Amino acid sequence: MADLPDGVPVPADGSLPQPDVTGGFSAYVHIPFCAVRCGYCDFNTYTNLDFGPGAGVADFPESLSREIELSRHVLVTADNGPTLANVFFGGGTPTMLDSAQLVAVLRNLDQTFGLRPHAEITTEANPESVTRESLHELARGGFTRVSFGMQSAVPHVLSVLDRQHTPGQVEKAMAWAREAGLDTSLDLIYGAPGESDADWEASLQAALALEPDHISAYALTVEPNTRMGGQVRRGEISLPDPDTQADRYERAAEVLEDAGYGWYEISNWSKPGHQCRHNMAYWQDANWWGYGPGAHSHINGTRFWNVKHPLAYAQALQAGRTPAAARELLSPTEKAEEHVMLGIRLRSGIEVPEWVKGSVVPQLIADELVDPSAALRGRLELTLKGRLLADTVTRVLMP
Ligand SMILES: C[S@@+](CC[C@H](N)C(=O)[O-])C[C@H]1O[C@@H](n2cnc3c(N)ncnc32)[C@H](O)[C@@H]1O
Ligand code: SF4
């Protein structure tokens, strides 16, 4: 599993140099449990469902309550009016907790900070981990959106990804979610071992046939410390080359955009008005507090991150200490770098940074990586080719 970054220690009470979030903030809640660990997954999640007090599926919300209470002491908010803009339950598999538990955590956040009107409340879910009743209960409890990990519509691809659901389960889960009045999103992965162009096409068409409000499509990343990383190292499986991955991305862009899903971030498309507001908050460098083991937070230029193990997390909170492992204060240069790195991935792009001079922008235009008319207005917006080569563009733009 990916290591946490280095950083400096956090005061035991979790206090922050600039704690004022009166302008609003988002909450991310990390649920670190899964029924089965997928071979490609590098997220902070565990199939042991009970590590001890406060660190098992049954009583994990108690630890979250303690962190919510800690954040109430740390953050400064206006006395009048709610400050919570969005809440996103991610994982792991949040729906390893039952709906009543998830709703109770949401209620706790609402009572503590106040949800703004029309707040977006999302949970991720594996298709096989929900029922009609569990989705209705989430909707009744205030959830507005569910994001299903569909990944593929092709059985042999689902199998190589260790996914536990069948294509039919996604269809059912989507119908129940819609019936419950939830906005819907589907996650797809392209470039799994053995996936053909036709398989990818079938997955795109199957996703569109389900008419979600939002679709994310990610290139499979193989991290060295995963089971799949080991299989690739030993030569047991092979992955598509970068050109094939680029073709798959281009095909996704074409199919999704033709069907009325506008791209708004490199890997994300939505029907008009259905962009994920929580993710936009990340990419626009807004304030968010990440609750749960290994969760990262960003408050007014300070980044901090929690210890990864659920038991270490629970024990810190039981001892009245912050579960934050370390933090870093972003320097003005780091803030500027982050703004470029995140902002350039968005359709809205960024203003040409003040340090970018000389032939840099003309060269980006000549290489067809940014839109020439936007550049005339002083903005950098990626073309389709630029979206494929976003890392190169980012490197060129660094201060
Ligand atoms: C970490 S999962 C959590 C949600 C849920 N457990 C699931 O798997 O659907 C969120 C999404 O991250 C994406 N993801 C996870 N690992 C990935 C990887 N190595 N490469 C590409 N996408 C990945 C998958 O599309 C997945 O739906
Ligand atoms: S179900 Fe989701 S979070 Fe869990 S191991 Fe698989 S990809 Fe990772």
Side-chain angles (χ1 to χ4, degrees), residues 203-227:
S203 294
L204 286 168
Q205 297 300 342
L208 284 180
L210 296 173
E211 298 183 8
D213 300 297
H214 181 282
I215 296 182
S216 306
Y218 302 111
L220 178 68
T221 318
V222 178
E223 303 289 347
N225 299 330
T226 56
R227 204 162 58 244

Side-chain angles (χ1 to χ4, degrees), residues 1-82:
M1 224 178 277
D3 290 332
L4 290 172
D6 294 331
V8 298
V10 177
D13 63 1
S15 55
L16 288 166
Q18 292 181 60
D20 193 339
V21 290
T22 297
F25 77 108
S26 294
Y28 170 78
V29 183
H30 189 76
I31 310 294
F33 303 108
C34 285
V36 170
R37 186 174 194 100
C38 308
Y40 60 89
C41 182
D42 194 31
F43 282 67
N44 187 35
T45 187
Y46 305 83
T47 49
N48 180 345
L49 304 186
D50 189 4
F51 284 108
V57 162
D59 57 0
F60 184 65
E62 286 168 29
S63 297
L64 290 174
S65 289
R66 291 180 201 268
E67 192 183 359
I68 293 168
E69 180 59 12
L70 179 126
S71 67
R72 186 174 72 82
H73 285 287
V74 169
L75 295 174
V76 173
T77 57
D79 291 338
N80 53 346

Side-chain angles (χ1 to χ4, degrees), residues 52-226:
V57 162
D59 57 0
F60 184 65
E62 286 168 29
S63 297
L64 290 174
S65 289
R66 291 180 201 268
E67 192 183 359
I68 293 168
E69 180 59 12
L70 179 126
S71 67
R72 186 174 72 82
H73 285 287
V74 169
L75 295 174
V76 173
T77 57
D79 291 338
N80 53 346
T83 42
L84 204 44
N86 310 292
V87 185
F88 191 103
F89 288 73
T93 304
T95 41
M96 290 294 287
L97 302 194
D98 59 40
S99 295
Q101 289 176 298
L102 295 174
V103 167
V105 175
L106 176 61
R107 205 161 284 153
N108 189 348
L109 282 165
D110 186 15
Q111 280 160 1
T112 307
F113 295 108
L115 283 168
R116 292 199 160 160
H118 313 295
E120 176 192 87
I121 317 292
T122 306
T123 185
E124 292 183 328
N126 293 33
E128 75 283 8
S129 69
V130 297
T131 60
R132 171 182 271 138
E133 186 40 43
S134 73
L135 289 171
H136 276 269
E137 195 173 344
L138 288 175
R140 280 196 302 273
F143 281 75
T144 64
R145 188 171 180 273
V146 60
S147 173
F148 291 116
M150 172 178 177
Q151 322 306 359
S152 172
V154 180
H156 77 88
V157 177
L158 289 173
S159 158
V160 78
L161 292 174
D162 299 319
R163 301 299 297 192
Q164 303 303 299
H165 64 269
T166 57
Q169 280 173 309
V170 183
E171 212 172 307
K172 269 197 194 148
M174 281 289 289
W176 295 331
R178 199 167 293 122
E179 182 188 278
L182 294 165
D183 269 22
T184 51
S185 180
L186 294 174
D187 283 354
L188 294 173
I189 288 184
Y190 55 93
E195 183 189 61
S196 66
D197 287 343
D199 292 334
W200 179 230
E201 185 72 27
S203 294
L204 286 168
Q205 297 300 342
L208 284 180
L210 296 173
E211 298 183 8
D213 300 297
H214 181 282
I215 296 182
S216 306
Y218 302 111
L220 178 68
T221 318
V222 178
E223 303 289 347
N225 299 330
T226 56

